[in-house]
Amino acid sequence: MNVGIKGFGAYAPSKVIDNAYFESFLETSDEWISKMTGIKERRWAEDDEDTSDMAYKASLEAIEDAGISSKDIDMIIVATSTGDYPFPSVANILQEKLDIGKVASVDQLAACSGFMYAMINAKQFVQSGDYHNVLVVGVDKLSKITDMSDRSTAVLFGDGAGAAIIGEVSEGHGILSYELGSDGSGGKYLYQDQDTHKIVMNGREVFKFAVRIMGEASNKAVEKANLSPDDIDLFIPHQANIRIMESARLRLGIPEEKMSVSVDKYGNTSAASIPLSIDQELKNGKLKDGDTIVLVGFGGGLTWGAITLKWGK
Ligand code: ACO
């Protein structure tokens, strides 16, 4: 069975925060942020717009794109590190908001690799024949756990959501291979502090890890699919930092014009970052039916995941 993305949707909040915003209360500059990260602006949700609200909007679009009704969804998996509450899960809240039947719904946490993990989880349920339309959402409201007094993290993060209906797709489409992994010994480099509830990051260590793992995981997934870098039409890495993305691209041997870049518009949106990039490339016509793409994420845990996929239903 070919399992892939039957429908897709994304949502970014309308409030745009540019780099200059931080200059008034942090010792930083638009020049430093642009040069060191590639970020020019990010979106922040309003106080009364929570993670599940963003997930809801992206999901509606995905359901419509799949041409199904919410009643056809038989499982919900949400990848997030910033749920509305520790429990109930965002997936539980979505089940009610979308008026989906009383189906299995669960959140899973793999930080910025979350969308990769959720897609592959969903794939197994569909492949087994037990489930047919799994709603997978990657969503984060990082603005609510960002320490705005820490210049080395405050400027990096944004909010957003992406959703996919994972199900059976036609011959020549769907997920070709994947590579998932984790290394808990790196947990100390990127975590949410239990007292402040804010993100703590050792940027240099995360940078070193990310550069190595993005290249390694992508290469392994490409090999598993018996592809060569020349076969790749589009490379969509987790949008954390343009310098990390560039180095992963070079390790994979992909030309510059084949890499998706949306970090300039959205910053790092964690589990939403890869789907927001997919959305951008669909809208600008760079991602088309039948394209071979590589998705790769890394994040807190430390975790990683790469997927090769033939786009289309
Ligand atoms: N403006 C100005 N200066 C800054 C800023 C800022 N916003 N942030 C840090 N600096 C300073 C530091 O204080 C340091 O100053 P010092 O030399 O006087 O001590 C100097 O810049 C260099 O700092 P480094 O941290 O060594 O700089 P680096 O080249 O590593 O860049 C960055 C920092 C951009 C954070 C980089 O390390 C990075 O991108 N790391 C990975 C971040 C990432 O991908 N996180 C993913 C999170 S994923 C998830 O799961 C949520």
Coordinates of all heavy atoms in Angstrom, one line a residue, residues 131-225:
Y131 N -6.6 1.7 10.1 CA -7.0 3.1 10.0 C -6.9 3.6 8.6 O -6.0 3.1 7.8 CB -6.2 4.0 11.0 CG -6.5 3.6 12.4 CD1 -5.8 2.5 13.1 CD2 -7.4 4.3 13.2 CE1 -6.1 2.2 14.4 CE2 -7.7 4.0 14.5 CZ -7.0 2.9 15.1 OH -7.3 2.6 16.4
H132 N -7.7 4.6 8.2 CA -7.7 5.1 6.8 C -7.4 6.5 6.6 O -6.8 6.9 5.6 CB -9.1 4.7 6.2 CG -9.4 3.3 6.4 ND1 -8.8 2.3 5.6 CD2 -10.3 2.7 7.2 CE1 -9.3 1.1 6.0 NE2 -10.2 1.3 7.0
N133 N -7.8 7.4 7.6 CA -7.5 8.8 7.5 C -7.1 9.3 8.8 O -7.9 9.6 9.7 CB -8.8 9.5 7.1 CG -9.3 9.2 5.7 OD1 -8.6 9.4 4.7 ND2 -10.5 8.6 5.6
V134 N -5.7 9.4 9.0 CA -5.2 9.9 10.2 C -4.9 11.4 10.1 O -4.1 11.7 9.2 CB -4.0 9.1 10.7 CG1 -3.5 9.6 12.0 CG2 -4.3 7.6 10.7
L135 N -5.5 12.2 11.0 CA -5.1 13.6 11.0 C -3.9 13.8 11.8 O -3.8 13.5 13.0 CB -6.3 14.4 11.6 CG -6.0 15.9 11.9 CD1 -5.7 16.7 10.6 CD2 -7.2 16.5 12.6
V136 N -2.8 14.3 11.1 CA -1.6 14.6 11.8 C -1.4 16.1 11.8 O -1.5 16.8 10.7 CB -0.4 13.9 11.0 CG1 0.9 14.5 11.4 CG2 -0.4 12.4 11.2
V137 N -1.1 16.6 13.0 CA -0.9 18.1 13.1 C 0.5 18.4 13.7 O 0.8 17.7 14.7 CB -2.0 18.7 14.0 CG1 -1.8 20.3 14.0 CG2 -3.4 18.4 13.4
G138 N 1.2 19.3 13.2 CA 2.4 19.8 13.8 C 2.1 21.3 14.2 O 1.8 22.1 13.3
V139 N 2.1 21.6 15.5 CA 1.7 22.9 15.9 C 2.5 23.3 17.2 O 2.8 22.5 18.0 CB 0.2 22.9 16.2 CG1 -0.2 21.9 17.3 CG2 -0.3 24.3 16.6
D140 N 2.9 24.6 17.2 CA 3.5 25.1 18.4 C 3.3 26.6 18.6 O 3.2 27.3 17.6 CB 5.1 24.8 18.4 CG 5.4 23.5 19.1 OD1 5.0 23.3 20.2 OD2 5.9 22.6 18.4
K141 N 3.1 26.9 19.9 CA 3.0 28.3 20.3 C 4.2 28.6 21.1 O 4.1 28.7 22.4 CB 1.7 28.6 21.0 CG 1.5 30.1 21.3 CD 0.2 30.4 22.0 CE 0.1 31.8 22.3 NZ -1.2 32.2 23.0
L142 N 5.4 28.7 20.5 CA 6.6 28.9 21.2 C 6.7 30.2 22.0 O 7.4 30.3 23.0 CB 7.8 28.7 20.3 CG 8.0 27.3 19.7 CD1 9.2 27.3 18.7 CD2 8.3 26.3 20.9
S143 N 6.0 31.2 21.5 CA 6.0 32.5 22.1 C 5.6 32.5 23.6 O 6.1 33.3 24.4 CB 5.1 33.5 21.4 OG 3.8 33.1 21.4
K144 N 4.8 31.5 24.0 CA 4.4 31.4 25.4 C 5.4 30.7 26.3 O 5.3 30.8 27.5 CB 3.0 30.8 25.5 CG 2.9 29.3 25.3 CD 1.5 28.8 25.5 CE 1.3 27.3 25.1 NZ -0.1 26.9 25.3
I145 N 6.5 30.1 25.7 CA 7.5 29.5 26.5 C 8.9 30.1 26.2 O 9.9 29.5 26.5 CB 7.5 28.0 26.5 CG1 7.8 27.5 25.0 CG2 6.2 27.4 27.0 CD1 8.3 26.0 25.0
T146 N 8.9 31.2 25.6 CA 10.2 31.9 25.2 C 10.5 32.9 26.3 O 9.7 33.7 26.7 CB 10.1 32.6 23.8 OG1 9.7 31.6 22.9 CG2 11.4 33.2 23.4
D147 N 11.8 32.9 26.7 CA 12.3 33.8 27.7 C 12.7 35.1 26.9 O 13.7 35.2 26.3 CB 13.5 33.3 28.4 CG 14.1 34.2 29.4 OD1 13.6 35.4 29.5 OD2 15.1 33.8 30.1
M148 N 11.8 36.1 27.0 CA 12.0 37.3 26.2 C 13.2 38.2 26.8 O 13.5 39.2 26.1 CB 10.7 38.2 26.2 CG 9.6 37.4 25.5 SD 10.0 37.1 23.7 CE 8.6 36.0 23.3
S149 N 13.7 37.8 27.9 CA 14.9 38.6 28.4 C 16.2 37.9 27.9 O 17.3 38.4 28.2 CB 14.8 38.7 29.9 OG 15.0 37.4 30.5
D150 N 16.1 36.8 27.2 CA 17.3 36.1 26.8 C 17.5 36.3 25.3 O 16.8 35.7 24.5 CB 17.2 34.6 27.1 CG 18.3 33.7 26.6 OD1 19.3 34.3 26.1 OD2 18.2 32.5 26.6
R151 N 18.5 37.1 24.9 CA 18.6 37.5 23.5 C 19.0 36.3 22.6 O 18.8 36.3 21.4 CB 19.6 38.6 23.3 CG 21.1 38.2 23.7 CD 22.0 39.4 23.4 NE 23.4 39.0 23.7 CZ 24.4 39.8 23.5 NH1 24.3 40.9 22.9 NH2 25.6 39.3 23.8
S152 N 19.6 35.3 23.2 CA 20.1 34.2 22.4 C 18.9 33.2 22.0 O 19.1 32.4 21.1 CB 21.2 33.4 23.1 OG 20.8 32.8 24.2
T153 N 17.8 33.3 22.7 CA 16.6 32.5 22.3 C 15.4 33.4 21.8 O 14.6 33.0 21.0 CB 16.2 31.5 23.4 OG1 16.0 32.3 24.6 CG2 17.2 30.5 23.6
A154 N 15.2 34.5 22.5 CA 14.0 35.3 22.2 C 13.8 35.6 20.7 O 12.6 35.6 20.3 CB 14.1 36.6 23.0
V155 N 14.9 35.8 20.0 CA 14.7 36.3 18.6 C 14.4 35.1 17.7 O 14.2 35.3 16.5 CB 16.0 37.0 18.1 CG1 16.3 38.2 19.0 CG2 17.2 36.0 18.1
L156 N 14.5 33.9 18.2 CA 14.5 32.7 17.2 C 13.1 32.2 16.9 O 12.9 31.6 15.8 CB 15.3 31.5 17.8 CG 16.8 31.8 18.2 CD1 17.4 30.5 18.8 CD2 17.6 32.2 16.9
F157 N 12.2 32.3 17.9 CA 11.0 31.4 17.8 C 9.7 32.1 17.3 O 9.6 33.3 17.6 CB 10.8 30.8 19.2 CG 11.9 29.9 19.6 CD1 12.7 30.2 20.8 CD2 12.3 28.8 18.9 CE1 13.7 29.5 21.2 CE2 13.4 28.0 19.3 CZ 14.1 28.3 20.4
G158 N 8.9 31.3 16.7 CA 7.6 31.8 16.3 C 6.5 30.8 16.5 O 6.7 29.7 17.0
D159 N 5.3 31.1 16.1 CA 4.1 30.3 16.3 C 3.5 29.9 14.9 O 3.5 30.7 14.0 CB 3.0 31.0 17.1 CG 3.5 31.6 18.4 OD1 4.5 31.0 18.9 OD2 3.0 32.6 18.9
G160 N 2.8 28.7 14.9 CA 2.2 28.3 13.7 C 1.7 26.9 13.7 O 1.9 26.2 14.7
A161 N 1.1 26.4 12.6 CA 0.5 25.0 12.6 C 0.5 24.5 11.2 O 0.4 25.3 10.2 CB -0.9 25.0 13.1
G162 N 0.6 23.2 11.0 CA 0.4 22.5 9.7 C -0.3 21.2 10.0 O -0.2 20.6 11.1
A163 N -1.1 20.8 9.0 CA -1.8 19.6 9.2 C -1.8 18.7 7.9 O -1.8 19.3 6.8 CB -3.3 19.9 9.6
A164 N -1.8 17.4 8.1 CA -1.9 16.5 6.9 C -2.8 15.4 7.2 O -2.9 14.9 8.4 CB -0.5 16.0 6.6
I165 N -3.6 15.0 6.2 CA -4.4 13.7 6.3 C -3.5 12.6 5.7 O -3.2 12.6 4.5 CB -5.7 13.8 5.5 CG1 -6.5 15.1 5.9 CG2 -6.5 12.6 5.7 CD1 -7.0 15.2 7.3
I166 N -3.1 11.7 6.6 CA -2.3 10.6 6.1 C -3.2 9.4 5.8 O -4.0 8.9 6.7 CB -1.3 10.2 7.2 CG1 -0.4 11.4 7.6 CG2 -0.4 9.0 6.7 CD1 0.5 11.9 6.6
G167 N -3.1 8.9 4.6 CA -3.9 7.8 4.2 C -3.3 7.1 2.9 O -2.2 7.4 2.5
E168 N -4.1 6.2 2.3 CA -3.6 5.6 1.1 C -3.7 6.5 -0.1 O -4.6 7.3 -0.3 CB -4.5 4.3 0.8 CG -4.0 3.6 -0.4 CD -4.6 2.2 -0.6 OE1 -5.6 1.9 0.1 OE2 -4.1 1.5 -1.5
V169 N -2.6 6.5 -0.8 CA -2.5 7.4 -2.0 C -2.2 6.5 -3.2 O -1.9 5.3 -3.1 CB -1.4 8.5 -1.9 CG1 -1.8 9.5 -0.8 CG2 0.0 7.9 -1.5
S170 N -2.3 7.1 -4.4 CA -2.2 6.3 -5.6 C -0.8 5.9 -5.9 O 0.2 6.5 -5.4 CB -2.8 7.1 -6.8 OG -2.1 8.3 -7.0
E171 N -0.6 4.9 -6.8 CA 0.7 4.4 -7.2 C 1.6 5.5 -7.6 O 1.2 6.4 -8.3 CB 0.4 3.4 -8.4 CG 1.6 2.6 -8.9 CD 2.0 1.6 -7.8 OE1 1.1 1.0 -7.1 OE2 3.2 1.3 -7.7
G172 N 2.9 5.4 -7.2 CA 3.8 6.5 -7.6 C 3.8 7.7 -6.6 O 4.5 8.7 -6.9
H173 N 3.0 7.6 -5.6 CA 3.0 8.7 -4.6 C 3.2 8.1 -3.2 O 3.2 6.9 -3.0 CB 1.6 9.4 -4.6 CG 1.4 10.1 -5.9 ND1 0.5 9.6 -6.8 CD2 1.8 11.3 -6.4 CE1 0.5 10.4 -7.9 NE2 1.3 11.4 -7.6
G174 N 3.5 9.0 -2.2 CA 3.6 8.6 -0.8 C 5.0 8.5 -0.3 O 6.0 8.8 -0.9
I175 N 5.0 8.0 1.0 CA 6.3 8.0 1.7 C 7.1 6.8 1.2 O 6.6 5.7 1.1 CB 6.0 7.8 3.2 CG1 5.3 9.0 3.8 CG2 7.3 7.5 4.0 CD1 4.7 8.8 5.2
L176 N 8.4 7.1 0.9 CA 9.3 6.1 0.3 C 10.2 5.5 1.4 O 10.5 4.3 1.3 CB 10.2 6.7 -0.8 CG 9.4 7.5 -1.9 CD1 10.4 8.2 -2.8 CD2 8.6 6.4 -2.8
S177 N 10.6 6.3 2.3 CA 11.6 5.8 3.3 C 11.6 6.8 4.5 O 11.1 8.0 4.3 CB 13.0 5.7 2.8 OG 13.5 7.0 2.5
Y178 N 12.1 6.4 5.6 CA 12.3 7.3 6.7 C 13.4 6.9 7.6 O 13.9 5.7 7.6 CB 11.0 7.4 7.5 CG 10.5 6.2 8.2 CD1 10.9 5.8 9.5 CD2 9.7 5.3 7.5 CE1 10.5 4.7 10.1 CE2 9.3 4.1 8.1 CZ 9.7 3.8 9.4 OH 9.3 2.6 10.0
E179 N 13.9 7.8 8.4 CA 15.0 7.6 9.4 C 14.6 8.4 10.6 O 14.5 9.6 10.5 CB 16.3 8.0 8.8 CG 17.5 8.0 9.7 CD 18.0 6.6 10.0 OE1 17.7 5.7 9.3 OE2 18.7 6.5 11.0
L180 N 14.4 7.7 11.8 CA 14.1 8.4 13.0 C 15.2 8.1 14.0 O 15.7 7.0 14.0 CB 12.8 8.0 13.6 CG 11.5 8.2 12.7 CD1 10.3 7.6 13.4 CD2 11.3 9.7 12.5
G181 N 15.5 9.0 15.0 CA 16.4 8.6 16.0 C 16.4 9.6 17.2 O 15.7 10.7 17.1
S182 N 17.1 9.3 18.3 CA 17.2 10.2 19.4 C 18.4 9.9 20.2 O 19.0 8.8 20.1 CB 15.9 10.1 20.3 OG 16.0 8.8 21.0
D183 N 18.8 10.9 20.9 CA 20.0 10.8 21.8 C 19.7 11.6 23.1 O 19.9 12.8 23.1 CB 21.3 11.4 21.1 CG 22.5 11.3 22.0 OD1 22.4 10.8 23.2 OD2 23.6 11.7 21.5
G184 N 19.2 10.9 24.1 CA 18.8 11.6 25.3 C 20.0 12.3 26.1 O 19.7 13.1 26.9
S185 N 21.2 11.9 25.8 CA 22.3 12.5 26.5 C 22.4 14.0 26.1 O 23.1 14.8 26.8 CB 23.6 11.8 26.1 OG 24.0 12.1 24.8
G186 N 21.7 14.4 25.0 CA 21.8 15.8 24.6 C 20.6 16.6 25.2 O 20.4 17.8 24.8
G187 N 19.8 16.0 26.0 CA 18.6 16.7 26.6 C 19.0 18.0 27.3 O 18.2 19.0 27.4
K188 N 20.2 18.0 27.9 CA 20.6 19.2 28.7 C 20.9 20.4 27.8 O 21.0 21.5 28.3 CB 21.9 18.8 29.5 CG 23.1 18.3 28.7 CD 24.2 17.9 29.6 CE 25.4 17.2 28.8 NZ 25.0 15.9 28.3
Y189 N 21.0 20.2 26.5 CA 21.3 21.3 25.7 C 20.1 22.1 25.2 O 20.2 23.2 24.7 CB 22.1 20.9 24.4 CG 23.4 20.2 24.7 CD1 23.8 19.0 24.1 CD2 24.3 20.8 25.6 CE1 25.0 18.4 24.4 CE2 25.5 20.2 25.9 CZ 25.8 19.0 25.3 OH 27.0 18.4 25.6
L190 N 18.9 21.5 25.4 CA 17.7 22.2 24.9 C 16.5 21.6 25.7 O 16.1 20.5 25.5 CB 17.5 21.9 23.4 CG 16.4 22.6 22.7 CD1 16.4 24.1 22.8 CD2 16.5 22.2 21.2
Y191 N 15.9 22.4 26.6 CA 14.8 21.9 27.4 C 13.9 23.1 27.9 O 14.3 24.2 27.8 CB 15.4 21.1 28.6 CG 16.3 21.9 29.5 CD1 15.7 22.5 30.6 CD2 17.6 22.0 29.3 CE1 16.6 23.2 31.5 CE2 18.5 22.7 30.1 CZ 17.9 23.3 31.2 OH 18.8 24.0 32.1
Q192 N 12.8 22.7 28.4 CA 11.9 23.7 29.1 C 12.2 23.6 30.6 O 12.0 22.6 31.2 CB 10.4 23.4 28.7 CG 9.5 24.5 29.2 CD 8.1 24.2 28.9 OE1 7.7 23.1 28.4 NE2 7.2 25.1 29.2
D193 N 12.6 24.7 31.1 CA 12.9 24.8 32.6 C 11.6 24.5 33.4 O 10.6 25.1 33.1 CB 13.5 26.2 32.9 CG 13.9 26.2 34.3 OD1 13.1 26.6 35.2 OD2 15.1 25.9 34.6
Q194 N 11.8 23.7 34.4 CA 10.6 23.3 35.2 C 10.0 24.4 36.1 O 8.9 24.4 36.4 CB 10.9 22.1 36.1 CG 11.0 20.8 35.3 CD 10.9 19.6 36.2 OE1 10.3 19.6 37.2 NE2 11.6 18.5 35.8
D195 N 10.9 25.4 36.4 CA 10.5 26.5 37.3 C 9.9 27.6 36.5 O 8.8 28.1 36.8 CB 11.6 26.9 38.2 CG 12.1 25.8 39.1 OD1 11.2 25.1 39.6 OD2 13.3 25.7 39.4
T196 N 10.7 28.1 35.5 CA 10.3 29.2 34.7 C 9.3 28.9 33.6 O 8.7 29.7 33.0 CB 11.5 29.9 34.1 OG1 12.1 29.0 33.1 CG2 12.6 30.3 35.1
H197 N 9.3 27.6 33.2 CA 8.6 27.1 32.0 C 9.0 27.7 30.7 O 8.3 27.7 29.7 CB 7.1 27.3 32.2 CG 6.5 26.7 33.5 ND1 6.5 25.3 33.6 CD2 6.1 27.2 34.6 CE1 6.0 25.0 34.8 NE2 5.7 26.1 35.4
K198 N 10.3 28.2 30.7 CA 10.8 28.8 29.5 C 11.9 27.9 28.9 O 12.5 27.1 29.5 CB 11.4 30.2 29.8 CG 10.5 31.2 30.5 CD 9.3 31.6 29.5 CE 8.5 32.7 30.2 NZ 7.2 32.8 29.5
I199 N 12.1 28.2 27.6 CA 13.1 27.4 26.8 C 14.5 27.8 27.3 O 14.8 29.0 27.4 CB 13.0 27.6 25.3 CG1 11.6 27.2 24.8 CG2 14.1 26.9 24.5 CD1 11.4 27.6 23.3
V200 N 15.3 26.8 27.5 CA 16.8 27.0 27.8 C 17.6 26.3 26.7 O 17.3 25.1 26.5 CB 17.1 26.4 29.2 CG1 18.6 26.6 29.5 CG2 16.3 27.0 30.3
M201 N 18.5 27.0 26.1 CA 19.2 26.4 25.0 C 20.7 26.7 25.1 O 21.1 27.9 25.3 CB 18.7 26.9 23.7 CG 19.3 26.2 22.5 SD 18.6 26.8 20.9 CE 19.3 28.5 20.8
N202 N 21.5 25.7 24.8 CA 23.0 25.9 24.6 C 23.1 26.0 23.1 O 23.2 24.9 22.4 CB 23.8 24.8 25.2 CG 25.3 25.0 25.0 OD1 25.7 25.5 24.0 ND2 26.1 24.5 25.9
G203 N 23.1 27.2 22.5 CA 23.0 27.4 21.1 C 24.1 26.7 20.3 O 23.9 26.1 19.3
R204 N 25.3 26.8 20.9 CA 26.5 26.3 20.2 C 26.4 24.8 20.0 O 26.7 24.2 19.0 CB 27.7 26.7 20.9 CG 28.7 27.3 20.0 CD 29.9 27.9 20.7 NE 30.0 29.3 20.3 CZ 31.0 30.1 20.7 NH1 31.9 29.6 21.5 NH2 31.0 31.4 20.4
E205 N 26.0 24.1 21.2 CA 25.9 22.6 21.1 C 24.8 22.1 20.2 O 25.0 21.2 19.5 CB 25.7 22.1 22.6 CG 26.9 22.2 23.5 CD 28.2 21.4 22.9 OE1 28.0 20.4 22.3 OE2 29.3 21.9 23.2
V206 N 23.7 22.8 20.3 CA 22.6 22.5 19.4 C 23.0 22.6 17.9 O 22.7 21.8 17.1 CB 21.3 23.3 19.7 CG1 20.2 23.0 18.7 CG2 20.8 23.0 21.1
F207 N 23.7 23.7 17.7 CA 24.2 24.0 16.3 C 25.0 22.9 15.8 O 24.8 22.4 14.7 CB 25.0 25.3 16.4 CG 25.2 25.9 15.0 CD1 24.4 27.0 14.6 CD2 26.2 25.5 14.2 CE1 24.6 27.5 13.3 CE2 26.4 26.0 12.9 CZ 25.6 27.0 12.5
K208 N 26.0 22.4 16.6 CA 26.9 21.4 16.2 C 26.2 20.1 15.9 O 26.4 19.4 14.9 CB 28.0 21.1 17.3 CG 29.1 22.1 17.3 CD 30.3 21.6 18.2 CE 30.0 21.7 19.6 NZ 31.0 21.4 20.5
F209 N 25.3 19.7 16.8 CA 24.5 18.5 16.7 C 23.6 18.6 15.4 O 23.6 17.7 14.6 CB 23.6 18.4 17.9 CG 22.3 17.5 17.7 CD1 22.4 16.2 17.6 CD2 21.1 18.2 17.6 CE1 21.2 15.4 17.4 CE2 19.9 17.4 17.4 CZ 20.0 16.0 17.3
A210 N 23.0 19.7 15.2 CA 22.0 19.9 14.1 C 22.7 19.8 12.8 O 22.2 19.1 11.9 CB 21.3 21.2 14.2
V211 N 23.9 20.4 12.7 CA 24.6 20.4 11.4 C 25.0 18.9 11.0 O 24.8 18.5 9.9 CB 25.9 21.2 11.5 CG1 26.9 20.8 10.5 CG2 25.6 22.7 11.5
R212 N 25.4 18.1 12.0 CA 25.8 16.7 11.7 C 24.5 15.9 11.4 O 24.5 15.2 10.4 CB 26.5 16.2 13.0 CG 26.9 14.7 12.8 CD 27.8 14.2 14.0 NE 27.1 14.4 15.3 CZ 26.2 13.6 15.7 NH1 25.8 12.5 15.0 NH2 25.6 13.8 16.9
I213 N 23.5 16.0 12.3 CA 22.4 15.0 12.2 C 21.5 15.3 11.0 O 20.9 14.4 10.5 CB 21.6 15.0 13.6 CG1 21.0 13.6 13.8 CG2 20.5 16.0 13.6 CD1 22.0 12.5 14.0
M214 N 21.3 16.6 10.7 CA 20.4 16.9 9.5 C 21.0 16.2 8.3 O 20.3 15.6 7.5 CB 20.3 18.4 9.3 CG 19.7 19.1 10.4 SD 18.0 19.5 10.0 CE 18.2 21.0 9.1
G215 N 22.3 16.3 8.1 CA 23.0 15.7 6.9 C 22.9 14.2 7.0 O 22.5 13.5 6.0
E216 N 23.2 13.6 8.2 CA 23.3 12.2 8.3 C 21.9 11.5 8.1 O 21.7 10.6 7.4 CB 23.7 11.8 9.7 CG 25.3 11.6 9.8 CD 25.7 11.3 11.3 OE1 24.9 10.7 12.0 OE2 26.7 11.8 11.6
A217 N 20.9 12.1 8.8 CA 19.5 11.5 8.7 C 19.0 11.6 7.3 O 18.4 10.7 6.8 CB 18.6 12.2 9.7
S218 N 19.2 12.7 6.6 CA 18.7 12.9 5.2 C 19.4 11.9 4.3 O 18.8 11.2 3.5 CB 19.0 14.3 4.7 OG 18.5 15.3 5.6
N219 N 20.7 11.8 4.5 CA 21.5 10.8 3.6 C 21.0 9.4 3.8 O 20.8 8.7 2.8 CB 23.0 10.9 3.9 CG 23.6 12.0 3.1 OD1 23.4 12.1 1.9 ND2 24.5 12.8 3.7
K220 N 20.7 9.0 5.1 CA 20.2 7.7 5.3 C 18.9 7.4 4.7 O 18.6 6.4 4.1 CB 20.1 7.4 6.8 CG 21.5 7.1 7.4 CD 21.4 6.6 8.9 CE 22.8 6.4 9.5 NZ 22.8 6.5 10.9
A221 N 18.0 8.4 4.8 CA 16.6 8.3 4.3 C 16.7 8.2 2.7 O 16.0 7.4 2.1 CB 15.7 9.4 4.7
V222 N 17.6 9.0 2.1 CA 17.7 9.0 0.7 C 18.3 7.6 0.2 O 17.8 7.0 -0.7 CB 18.7 10.1 0.2 CG1 19.1 10.0 -1.2 CG2 17.9 11.5 0.4
E223 N 19.3 7.1 1.0 CA 19.8 5.8 0.6 C 18.8 4.7 0.7 O 18.7 3.8 -0.1 CB 20.9 5.4 1.6 CG 22.3 5.8 1.1 CD 23.4 5.6 2.2 OE1 23.3 4.6 3.0 OE2 24.2 6.5 2.4
K224 N 18.0 4.7 1.9 CA 17.0 3.7 2.1 C 16.0 3.7 0.9 O 15.4 2.6 0.6 CB 16.2 3.9 3.4 CG 17.0 3.5 4.6 CD 16.1 3.8 5.9 CE 16.8 3.4 7.1 NZ 16.0 3.8 8.3
A225 N 15.7 4.8 0.3 CA 14.8 4.9 -0.8 C 15.4 4.6 -2.1 O 14.8 4.7 -3.2 CB 14.1 6.3 -0.9

